[in-house]
């Protein structure tokens, strides 16, 4: 069994601007009965913007580890860490995060990622995830002035038509 932990880099954390998290949440079709998980809460940019629903969060500083979360949810939305430790080795965080999200999300999940994480979305992985019922249904590019480069909000939805051809 693999071990997943948070990778502690000695860098300043950069939290998602509220206007960006608000715009991202507007792309989700959340209703009042939905259960929504924010797996990397930080200062709560996404969590605090969620509409009235059954909302929960994970946060490493509160010792609530996303990889330990097993309860089913409808939606997951966050700005995930770039790296995590997999079996004590620093690894691109997006792939294990997506794979765990697929085990607990019934409607979909969306993550704001940088270009390095985006490049991890290989054709082989996209096919594997499609076979499990999840396709990318929406992508939006953000220029966030206080961060370096472009950021991509990628929405995966279960049993929906994907927007990518591969």
């Amino acid at each position: 069994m693999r071990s997943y932990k948070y990778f502690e880099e000695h860098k300043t954390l950069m939290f998602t601007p509220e206007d960006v998290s608000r715009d991202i949440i507007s792309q989700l079709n959340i209703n009042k009965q939905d259960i929504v998980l924010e797996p990397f809460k930080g200062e709560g940019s996404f969590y605090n913007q969620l509409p009235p629903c059954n909302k929960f969060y994970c946060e490493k500083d509160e010792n609530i580890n996303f990889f330990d979360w097993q309860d089913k949810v409808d939606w997951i939305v966050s700005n995930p860490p770039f790296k995590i430790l997999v079996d004590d080795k620093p690894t691109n965080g997006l792939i294990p995060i997506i794979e765990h999200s697929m085990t607990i999300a019934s409607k979909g999940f969306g993550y704001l990622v940088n270009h390095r994480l985006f490049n991890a979305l290989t054709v082989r992985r996209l096919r594997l995830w499609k076979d499990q019922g999840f396709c990318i249904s929406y992508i939006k590019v953000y220029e966030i002035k206080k961060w370096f480069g472009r950021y991509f909000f990628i929405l995966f939805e279960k049993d929906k038509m994907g927007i990518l051809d591969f």
Side-chain angles (χ1 to χ4, degrees), residues 75-101:
W75 295 102
I76 300 170
V77 62
S78 193
N79 176 356
F82 295 159
K83 289 184 181 178
I84 62 170
L85 292 175
V86 178
D87 298 331
D88 294 321
K89 296 177 188 162
T91 304
N92 177 329
L94 187 61
I95 303 312
I97 290 167
I98 287 175
E99 289 173 349
H100 185 60
S101 297

PDB file of all heavy atoms in Angstrom, residues 75-101:
ATOM      1  N   TRP A  75     -18.996  16.599  -5.301  1.00  0.00           N
ATOM      2  CA  TRP A  75     -18.011  17.454  -5.966  1.00  0.00           C
ATOM      3  C   TRP A  75     -16.780  17.643  -5.102  1.00  0.00           C
ATOM      4  O   TRP A  75     -16.869  17.659  -3.871  1.00  0.00           O
ATOM      5  CB  TRP A  75     -18.598  18.836  -6.245  1.00  0.00           C
ATOM      6  CG  TRP A  75     -19.718  18.849  -7.215  1.00  0.00           C
ATOM      7  CD1 TRP A  75     -21.055  18.955  -6.925  1.00  0.00           C
ATOM      8  CD2 TRP A  75     -19.627  18.762  -8.636  1.00  0.00           C
ATOM      9  NE1 TRP A  75     -21.791  18.927  -8.075  1.00  0.00           N
ATOM     10  CE2 TRP A  75     -20.941  18.821  -9.152  1.00  0.00           C
ATOM     11  CE3 TRP A  75     -18.569  18.639  -9.531  1.00  0.00           C
ATOM     12  CZ2 TRP A  75     -21.213  18.764 -10.509  1.00  0.00           C
ATOM     13  CZ3 TRP A  75     -18.847  18.576 -10.880  1.00  0.00           C
ATOM     14  CH2 TRP A  75     -20.156  18.649 -11.356  1.00  0.00           C
ATOM     15  N   ILE A  76     -15.657  17.851  -5.772  1.00  0.00           N
ATOM     16  CA  ILE A  76     -14.403  18.228  -5.126  1.00  0.00           C
ATOM     17  C   ILE A  76     -13.856  19.409  -5.908  1.00  0.00           C
ATOM     18  O   ILE A  76     -13.857  19.397  -7.143  1.00  0.00           O
ATOM     19  CB  ILE A  76     -13.375  17.079  -5.152  1.00  0.00           C
ATOM     20  CG1 ILE A  76     -13.916  15.847  -4.420  1.00  0.00           C
ATOM     21  CG2 ILE A  76     -12.049  17.530  -4.568  1.00  0.00           C
ATOM     22  CD1 ILE A  76     -13.062  14.605  -4.599  1.00  0.00           C
ATOM     23  N   VAL A  77     -13.393  20.447  -5.198  1.00  0.00           N
ATOM     24  CA  VAL A  77     -12.809  21.605  -5.874  1.00  0.00           C
ATOM     25  C   VAL A  77     -11.697  22.186  -5.002  1.00  0.00           C
ATOM     26  O   VAL A  77     -11.836  22.273  -3.783  1.00  0.00           O
ATOM     27  CB  VAL A  77     -13.875  22.679  -6.206  1.00  0.00           C
ATOM     28  CG1 VAL A  77     -14.525  23.231  -4.951  1.00  0.00           C
ATOM     29  CG2 VAL A  77     -13.285  23.791  -7.062  1.00  0.00           C
ATOM     30  N   SER A  78     -10.558  22.546  -5.643  1.00  0.00           N
ATOM     31  CA  SER A  78      -9.433  23.070  -4.874  1.00  0.00           C
ATOM     32  C   SER A  78      -8.302  23.538  -5.775  1.00  0.00           C
ATOM     33  O   SER A  78      -8.306  23.334  -6.984  1.00  0.00           O
ATOM     34  CB  SER A  78      -8.893  21.981  -3.933  1.00  0.00           C
ATOM     35  OG  SER A  78      -8.022  22.521  -2.979  1.00  0.00           O
ATOM     36  N   ASN A  79      -7.328  24.136  -5.130  1.00  0.00           N
ATOM     37  CA  ASN A  79      -6.022  24.425  -5.703  1.00  0.00           C
ATOM     38  C   ASN A  79      -5.067  23.488  -4.970  1.00  0.00           C
ATOM     39  O   ASN A  79      -4.699  23.755  -3.834  1.00  0.00           O
ATOM     40  CB  ASN A  79      -5.669  25.898  -5.457  1.00  0.00           C
ATOM     41  CG  ASN A  79      -4.284  26.259  -5.929  1.00  0.00           C
ATOM     42  OD1 ASN A  79      -3.525  25.421  -6.385  1.00  0.00           O
ATOM     43  ND2 ASN A  79      -3.944  27.518  -5.790  1.00  0.00           N
ATOM     44  N   PRO A  80      -4.693  22.365  -5.589  1.00  0.00           N
ATOM     45  CA  PRO A  80      -3.926  21.342  -4.867  1.00  0.00           C
ATOM     46  C   PRO A  80      -2.444  21.705  -4.737  1.00  0.00           C
ATOM     47  O   PRO A  80      -1.937  22.566  -5.453  1.00  0.00           O
ATOM     48  CB  PRO A  80      -4.097  20.114  -5.765  1.00  0.00           C
ATOM     49  CG  PRO A  80      -4.209  20.681  -7.137  1.00  0.00           C
ATOM     50  CD  PRO A  80      -4.983  21.971  -6.967  1.00  0.00           C
ATOM     51  N   PRO A  81      -1.747  21.014  -3.828  1.00  0.00           N
ATOM     52  CA  PRO A  81      -0.294  21.218  -3.733  1.00  0.00           C
ATOM     53  C   PRO A  81       0.388  20.714  -5.003  1.00  0.00           C
ATOM     54  O   PRO A  81      -0.080  19.769  -5.631  1.00  0.00           O
ATOM     55  CB  PRO A  81       0.095  20.381  -2.517  1.00  0.00           C
ATOM     56  CG  PRO A  81      -0.991  19.384  -2.363  1.00  0.00           C
ATOM     57  CD  PRO A  81      -2.239  20.010  -2.905  1.00  0.00           C
ATOM     58  N   PHE A  82       1.479  21.371  -5.374  1.00  0.00           N
ATOM     59  CA  PHE A  82       2.201  20.969  -6.578  1.00  0.00           C
ATOM     60  C   PHE A  82       2.894  19.634  -6.391  1.00  0.00           C
ATOM     61  O   PHE A  82       2.984  18.831  -7.306  1.00  0.00           O
ATOM     62  CB  PHE A  82       3.237  22.008  -6.966  1.00  0.00           C
ATOM     63  CG  PHE A  82       2.650  23.329  -7.367  1.00  0.00           C
ATOM     64  CD1 PHE A  82       3.415  24.470  -7.335  1.00  0.00           C
ATOM     65  CD2 PHE A  82       1.327  23.438  -7.786  1.00  0.00           C
ATOM     66  CE1 PHE A  82       2.880  25.701  -7.714  1.00  0.00           C
ATOM     67  CE2 PHE A  82       0.793  24.644  -8.164  1.00  0.00           C
ATOM     68  CZ  PHE A  82       1.574  25.783  -8.122  1.00  0.00           C
ATOM     69  N   LYS A  83       3.426  19.422  -5.185  1.00  0.00           N
ATOM     70  CA  LYS A  83       4.136  18.174  -4.915  1.00  0.00           C
ATOM     71  C   LYS A  83       3.589  17.550  -3.643  1.00  0.00           C
ATOM     72  O   LYS A  83       3.170  18.246  -2.725  1.00  0.00           O
ATOM     73  CB  LYS A  83       5.629  18.426  -4.722  1.00  0.00           C
ATOM     74  CG  LYS A  83       6.366  18.790  -5.977  1.00  0.00           C
ATOM     75  CD  LYS A  83       7.841  18.920  -5.702  1.00  0.00           C
ATOM     76  CE  LYS A  83       8.576  19.315  -6.972  1.00  0.00           C
ATOM     77  NZ  LYS A  83      10.004  19.489  -6.734  1.00  0.00           N
ATOM     78  N   ILE A  84       3.624  16.220  -3.635  1.00  0.00           N
ATOM     79  CA  ILE A  84       3.329  15.459  -2.427  1.00  0.00           C
ATOM     80  C   ILE A  84       4.407  14.393  -2.302  1.00  0.00           C
ATOM     81  O   ILE A  84       5.181  14.159  -3.238  1.00  0.00           O
ATOM     82  CB  ILE A  84       1.927  14.821  -2.461  1.00  0.00           C
ATOM     83  CG1 ILE A  84       1.815  13.825  -3.604  1.00  0.00           C
ATOM     84  CG2 ILE A  84       0.840  15.880  -2.518  1.00  0.00           C
ATOM     85  CD1 ILE A  84       0.566  12.979  -3.561  1.00  0.00           C
ATOM     86  N   LEU A  85       4.467  13.762  -1.153  1.00  0.00           N
ATOM     87  CA  LEU A  85       5.384  12.649  -0.969  1.00  0.00           C
ATOM     88  C   LEU A  85       4.628  11.347  -1.218  1.00  0.00           C
ATOM     89  O   LEU A  85       3.604  11.091  -0.589  1.00  0.00           O
ATOM     90  CB  LEU A  85       5.953  12.641   0.448  1.00  0.00           C
ATOM     91  CG  LEU A  85       6.890  13.787   0.813  1.00  0.00           C
ATOM     92  CD1 LEU A  85       7.269  13.706   2.285  1.00  0.00           C
ATOM     93  CD2 LEU A  85       8.132  13.773  -0.058  1.00  0.00           C
ATOM     94  N   VAL A  86       5.118  10.560  -2.146  1.00  0.00           N
ATOM     95  CA  VAL A  86       4.572   9.232  -2.400  1.00  0.00           C
ATOM     96  C   VAL A  86       5.673   8.254  -2.021  1.00  0.00           C
ATOM     97  O   VAL A  86       6.749   8.274  -2.617  1.00  0.00           O
ATOM     98  CB  VAL A  86       4.147   9.053  -3.874  1.00  0.00           C
ATOM     99  CG1 VAL A  86       3.640   7.646  -4.101  1.00  0.00           C
ATOM    100  CG2 VAL A  86       3.111  10.092  -4.264  1.00  0.00           C
ATOM    101  N   ASP A  87       5.405   7.449  -0.999  1.00  0.00           N
ATOM    102  CA  ASP A  87       6.425   6.548  -0.453  1.00  0.00           C
ATOM    103  C   ASP A  87       7.708   7.315  -0.137  1.00  0.00           C
ATOM    104  O   ASP A  87       8.808   6.896  -0.476  1.00  0.00           O
ATOM    105  CB  ASP A  87       6.686   5.384  -1.404  1.00  0.00           C
ATOM    106  CG  ASP A  87       5.452   4.529  -1.627  1.00  0.00           C
ATOM    107  OD1 ASP A  87       4.601   4.464  -0.714  1.00  0.00           O
ATOM    108  OD2 ASP A  87       5.324   3.940  -2.718  1.00  0.00           O
ATOM    109  N   ASP A  88       7.516   8.500   0.474  1.00  0.00           N
ATOM    110  CA  ASP A  88       8.593   9.384   0.927  1.00  0.00           C
ATOM    111  C   ASP A  88       9.434   9.992  -0.196  1.00  0.00           C
ATOM    112  O   ASP A  88      10.525  10.487   0.046  1.00  0.00           O
ATOM    113  CB  ASP A  88       9.499   8.679   1.944  1.00  0.00           C
ATOM    114  CG  ASP A  88       8.751   8.375   3.230  1.00  0.00           C
ATOM    115  OD1 ASP A  88       7.945   9.225   3.667  1.00  0.00           O
ATOM    116  OD2 ASP A  88       8.964   7.298   3.801  1.00  0.00           O
ATOM    117  N   LYS A  89       8.918   9.992  -1.433  1.00  0.00           N
ATOM    118  CA  LYS A  89       9.625  10.619  -2.553  1.00  0.00           C
ATOM    119  C   LYS A  89       8.781  11.769  -3.090  1.00  0.00           C
ATOM    120  O   LYS A  89       7.590  11.579  -3.372  1.00  0.00           O
ATOM    121  CB  LYS A  89       9.878   9.609  -3.680  1.00  0.00           C
ATOM    122  CG  LYS A  89      10.795   8.479  -3.277  1.00  0.00           C
ATOM    123  CD  LYS A  89      10.934   7.487  -4.403  1.00  0.00           C
ATOM    124  CE  LYS A  89      11.699   6.273  -3.897  1.00  0.00           C
ATOM    125  NZ  LYS A  89      11.546   5.122  -4.734  1.00  0.00           N
ATOM    126  N   PRO A  90       9.374  12.984  -3.265  1.00  0.00           N
ATOM    127  CA  PRO A  90       8.609  14.100  -3.840  1.00  0.00           C
ATOM    128  C   PRO A  90       8.119  13.751  -5.244  1.00  0.00           C
ATOM    129  O   PRO A  90       8.878  13.271  -6.080  1.00  0.00           O
ATOM    130  CB  PRO A  90       9.614  15.245  -3.890  1.00  0.00           C
ATOM    131  CG  PRO A  90      10.691  14.871  -2.939  1.00  0.00           C
ATOM    132  CD  PRO A  90      10.735  13.369  -2.929  1.00  0.00           C
ATOM    133  N   THR A  91       6.824  13.953  -5.476  1.00  0.00           N
ATOM    134  CA  THR A  91       6.178  13.565  -6.725  1.00  0.00           C
ATOM    135  C   THR A  91       5.191  14.636  -7.138  1.00  0.00           C
ATOM    136  O   THR A  91       4.597  15.300  -6.285  1.00  0.00           O
ATOM    137  CB  THR A  91       5.420  12.233  -6.522  1.00  0.00           C
ATOM    138  OG1 THR A  91       6.331  11.243  -6.033  1.00  0.00           O
ATOM    139  CG2 THR A  91       4.780  11.732  -7.789  1.00  0.00           C
ATOM    140  N   ASN A  92       4.974  14.796  -8.454  1.00  0.00           N
ATOM    141  CA  ASN A  92       3.917  15.653  -8.956  1.00  0.00           C
ATOM    142  C   ASN A  92       2.632  15.245  -8.237  1.00  0.00           C
ATOM    143  O   ASN A  92       2.209  14.096  -8.308  1.00  0.00           O
ATOM    144  CB  ASN A  92       3.792  15.456 -10.471  1.00  0.00           C
ATOM    145  CG  ASN A  92       2.673  16.242 -11.110  1.00  0.00           C
ATOM    146  OD1 ASN A  92       1.640  16.513 -10.503  1.00  0.00           O
ATOM    147  ND2 ASN A  92       2.870  16.622 -12.353  1.00  0.00           N
ATOM    148  N   GLY A  93       2.004  16.196  -7.557  1.00  0.00           N
ATOM    149  CA  GLY A  93       0.852  15.871  -6.730  1.00  0.00           C
ATOM    150  C   GLY A  93      -0.425  15.581  -7.483  1.00  0.00           C
ATOM    151  O   GLY A  93      -1.319  14.924  -6.957  1.00  0.00           O
ATOM    152  N   LEU A  94      -0.550  16.063  -8.718  1.00  0.00           N
ATOM    153  CA  LEU A  94      -1.836  16.002  -9.392  1.00  0.00           C
ATOM    154  C   LEU A  94      -2.326  14.577  -9.668  1.00  0.00           C
ATOM    155  O   LEU A  94      -3.507  14.283  -9.484  1.00  0.00           O
ATOM    156  CB  LEU A  94      -1.797  16.798 -10.699  1.00  0.00           C
ATOM    157  CG  LEU A  94      -3.136  16.941 -11.412  1.00  0.00           C
ATOM    158  CD1 LEU A  94      -4.145  17.679 -10.528  1.00  0.00           C
ATOM    159  CD2 LEU A  94      -2.966  17.658 -12.739  1.00  0.00           C
ATOM    160  N   ILE A  95      -1.453  13.695 -10.084  1.00  0.00           N
ATOM    161  CA  ILE A  95      -1.895  12.356 -10.484  1.00  0.00           C
ATOM    162  C   ILE A  95      -2.479  11.586  -9.299  1.00  0.00           C
ATOM    163  O   ILE A  95      -3.620  11.097  -9.378  1.00  0.00           O
ATOM    164  CB  ILE A  95      -0.765  11.579 -11.180  1.00  0.00           C
ATOM    165  CG1 ILE A  95      -0.252  12.354 -12.398  1.00  0.00           C
ATOM    166  CG2 ILE A  95      -1.235  10.178 -11.569  1.00  0.00           C
ATOM    167  CD1 ILE A  95      -1.306  12.893 -13.333  1.00  0.00           C
ATOM    168  N   PRO A  96      -1.783  11.468  -8.166  1.00  0.00           N
ATOM    169  CA  PRO A  96      -2.404  10.781  -7.029  1.00  0.00           C
ATOM    170  C   PRO A  96      -3.657  11.497  -6.522  1.00  0.00           C
ATOM    171  O   PRO A  96      -4.607  10.842  -6.073  1.00  0.00           O
ATOM    172  CB  PRO A  96      -1.315  10.778  -5.949  1.00  0.00           C
ATOM    173  CG  PRO A  96      -0.046  11.056  -6.656  1.00  0.00           C
ATOM    174  CD  PRO A  96      -0.380  11.810  -7.895  1.00  0.00           C
ATOM    175  N   ILE A  97      -3.697  12.813  -6.617  1.00  0.00           N
ATOM    176  CA  ILE A  97      -4.873  13.573  -6.187  1.00  0.00           C
ATOM    177  C   ILE A  97      -6.065  13.244  -7.080  1.00  0.00           C
ATOM    178  O   ILE A  97      -7.174  12.995  -6.601  1.00  0.00           O
ATOM    179  CB  ILE A  97      -4.559  15.082  -6.158  1.00  0.00           C
ATOM    180  CG1 ILE A  97      -3.601  15.384  -5.005  1.00  0.00           C
ATOM    181  CG2 ILE A  97      -5.832  15.912  -6.053  1.00  0.00           C
ATOM    182  CD1 ILE A  97      -2.972  16.768  -5.043  1.00  0.00           C
ATOM    183  N   ILE A  98      -5.863  13.221  -8.396  1.00  0.00           N
ATOM    184  CA  ILE A  98      -6.945  12.860  -9.318  1.00  0.00           C
ATOM    185  C   ILE A  98      -7.398  11.428  -9.065  1.00  0.00           C
ATOM    186  O   ILE A  98      -8.599  11.141  -9.001  1.00  0.00           O
ATOM    187  CB  ILE A  98      -6.506  13.047 -10.786  1.00  0.00           C
ATOM    188  CG1 ILE A  98      -6.448  14.549 -11.122  1.00  0.00           C
ATOM    189  CG2 ILE A  98      -7.445  12.307 -11.746  1.00  0.00           C
ATOM    190  CD1 ILE A  98      -5.913  14.851 -12.501  1.00  0.00           C
ATOM    191  N   GLU A  99      -6.448  10.521  -8.912  1.00  0.00           N
ATOM    192  CA  GLU A  99      -6.813   9.123  -8.722  1.00  0.00           C
ATOM    193  C   GLU A  99      -7.622   8.919  -7.440  1.00  0.00           C
ATOM    194  O   GLU A  99      -8.582   8.146  -7.422  1.00  0.00           O
ATOM    195  CB  GLU A  99      -5.565   8.249  -8.779  1.00  0.00           C
ATOM    196  CG  GLU A  99      -5.023   8.185 -10.195  1.00  0.00           C
ATOM    197  CD  GLU A  99      -3.697   7.478 -10.341  1.00  0.00           C
ATOM    198  OE1 GLU A  99      -3.040   7.185  -9.308  1.00  0.00           O
ATOM    199  OE2 GLU A  99      -3.306   7.217 -11.494  1.00  0.00           O
ATOM    200  N   HIS A 100      -7.271   9.627  -6.369  1.00  0.00           N
ATOM    201  CA  HIS A 100      -8.063   9.516  -5.147  1.00  0.00           C
ATOM    202  C   HIS A 100      -9.428  10.193  -5.332  1.00  0.00           C
ATOM    203  O   HIS A 100     -10.444   9.672  -4.858  1.00  0.00           O
ATOM    204  CB  HIS A 100      -7.321  10.119  -3.949  1.00  0.00           C
ATOM    205  CG  HIS A 100      -8.046   9.926  -2.668  1.00  0.00           C
ATOM    206  ND1 HIS A 100      -8.352   8.679  -2.162  1.00  0.00           N
ATOM    207  CD2 HIS A 100      -8.570  10.817  -1.795  1.00  0.00           C
ATOM    208  CE1 HIS A 100      -9.012   8.811  -1.033  1.00  0.00           C
ATOM    209  NE2 HIS A 100      -9.169  10.107  -0.778  1.00  0.00           N
ATOM    210  N   SER A 101      -9.453  11.321  -6.027  1.00  0.00           N
ATOM    211  CA  SER A 101     -10.712  12.026  -6.276  1.00  0.00           C
ATOM    212  C   SER A 101     -11.711  11.124  -6.992  1.00  0.00           C
ATOM    213  O   SER A 101     -12.903  11.146  -6.687  1.00  0.00           O
ATOM    214  CB  SER A 101     -10.466  13.290  -7.111  1.00  0.00           C
ATOM    215  OG  SER A 101      -9.643  14.188  -6.414  1.00  0.00           O
TER     216      SER A 101
END
